[in-house]
Amino acid sequence: MRPKMVLFGDSITEESFNNSGWGACLTHQFARVLDIQLRGYSGYNTRWALKVLKKVFPREEKEAPVAITVFFGANDAALPDRTSAYQHVPLDEYKHNLHSIVSFFKERWPSTLVILITPPPIDEAGRLENPFVEDTFGLPERTNKAAGAYAKACVSVAEEYKIPVINLWNRMQKFPNWEKLMLRDGLHLTCAGNKLVFDDLIMTLRKEGLSLDTLPLDLPALSEIDPNDPLKSFEM
């Protein structure tokens, strides 16, 4: 009865249903018109995402989502000589993997809107204050420069496929004090960071014809029910 939208990504997607998260806000925004499905996998990079793609989206799942967000890159961009080296994916492979993921969705569901989201910028001081594991060298496992290179690659894939992209790396850094305003630990989103993702997604969806103005309610709204004969509305 109700179309769906899928959020596919790493921890920034997995956490999106937290309080004030961008996924939770999408669910609230599109209540009664879209089911928002969460497929977020903390710590995953595009290499791992590609490996599990057919398990996460099995062939038996026939119904095409109206839209899918693909939000990977923050882990791919982990530096290969520091504490999160096992998550690192070389830049060329990252770009190839994104191509493969987008192709998978385009071949499976040609009508589905695929939206890429770049990795966010990195607050290196914030990463040093909130390391995943202790680093005896005192160096962040991610840098903003590296994240920027992966964001640029993500944008280029979107341009090649002519699909929408939200350049989060670029957008966030336009705000004063973005390091602490947008990121709670140098990588993951604050309430303001979540709101930015939500706002940009709503704007992107609207440009593609998906909004509360264009998506119908799945059952009659209360305002449409005749108070003198309520059941009549459900027979239409």
Side-chain angles (χ1 to χ4, degrees):
M1 290 176 61
R2 191 180 297 182
K4 65 182 178 182
M5 176 177 175
V6 183
L7 315 181
F8 184 44
D10 53 33
S11 58
I12 303 176
T13 296
E14 183 175 335
E15 294 182 358
S16 70
F17 271 49
N18 290 354
N19 187 33
S20 300
W22 59 274
C25 291
L26 282 174
T27 300
H28 176 73
Q29 173 78 8
F30 291 113
R32 294 284 302 275
V33 299
L34 271 184
D35 282 336
I36 309 298
Q37 289 190 352
L38 179 61
R39 296 295 183 268
Y41 302 91
S42 180
Y44 276 44
N45 55 36
T46 54
R47 183 185 294 164
W48 304 350
L50 203 53
K51 189 72 174 177
V52 302
L53 202 54
K54 292 181 181 178
K55 183 173 290 187
V56 178
F57 301 96
R59 179 64 63 178
E60 302 78 51
E61 198 170 315
K62 302 292 186 182
E63 182 191 353
V66 295
I68 296 177
T69 58
V70 178
F71 194 173
F72 288 99
N75 298 312
D76 301 67
L79 299 180
D81 57 350
R82 299 190 187 174
T83 54
S84 292
Y86 70 102
Q87 293 174 295
H88 172 75
V89 172
L91 187 59
D92 286 345
E93 183 189 344
Y94 167 72
K95 188 174 180 179
H96 175 77
N97 291 344
L98 271 187
H99 269 285
S100 299
I101 291 169
V102 174
S103 291
F104 175 88
F105 292 134
K106 286 295 185 181
E107 291 171 9
R108 174 75 66 84
W109 298 305
S111 64
T112 296
L113 173 66
V114 179
I115 303 171
L116 294 184
I117 306 176
T118 76
I122 298 294
D123 170 24
E124 294 170 30
R127 292 306 311 134
L128 283 172
E129 295 167 3
N130 300 275
F132 294 133
V133 295
E134 185 177 358
D135 184 358
T136 56
F137 296 103
L139 297 172
E141 83 291 358
R142 290 162 170 78
T143 65
N144 196 36
K145 181 179 179 180
Y150 284 73
K152 185 177 180 180
C154 180
V155 170
S156 71
V157 171
E159 289 173 347
E160 290 172 37
Y161 277 95
K162 294 180 173 56
I163 59 176
V165 60
I166 295 172
N167 190 340
L168 205 56
W169 188 86
N170 185 52
R171 284 276 290 131
M172 280 190 172
Q173 293 184 81
K174 293 181 178 180
F175 290 82
N177 193 34
W178 63 267
E179 296 91 340
K180 299 297 183 278
L181 176 67
M182 297 291 173
L183 305 171
R184 61 176 171 79
D185 60 358
L187 173 62
H188 298 93
L189 308 180
T190 61
C191 288
N194 275 287
K195 186 176 186 304
L196 178 65
V197 175
F198 169 74
D199 288 343
D200 281 11
L201 262 177
I202 290 296
M203 182 172 61
T204 301
L205 290 167
R206 181 176 292 277
K207 286 180 179 177
E208 299 294 330
L210 297 173
S211 70
L212 293 179
D213 298 325
T214 62
L215 294 165
L217 294 179
D218 59 357
L219 288 172
L222 178 61
S223 60
E224 298 172 345
I225 295 175
D226 184 351
N228 298 314
D229 189 3
L231 293 182
K232 182 180 180 181
S233 300
F234 303 104
E235 297 170 0
M236 297 176 62

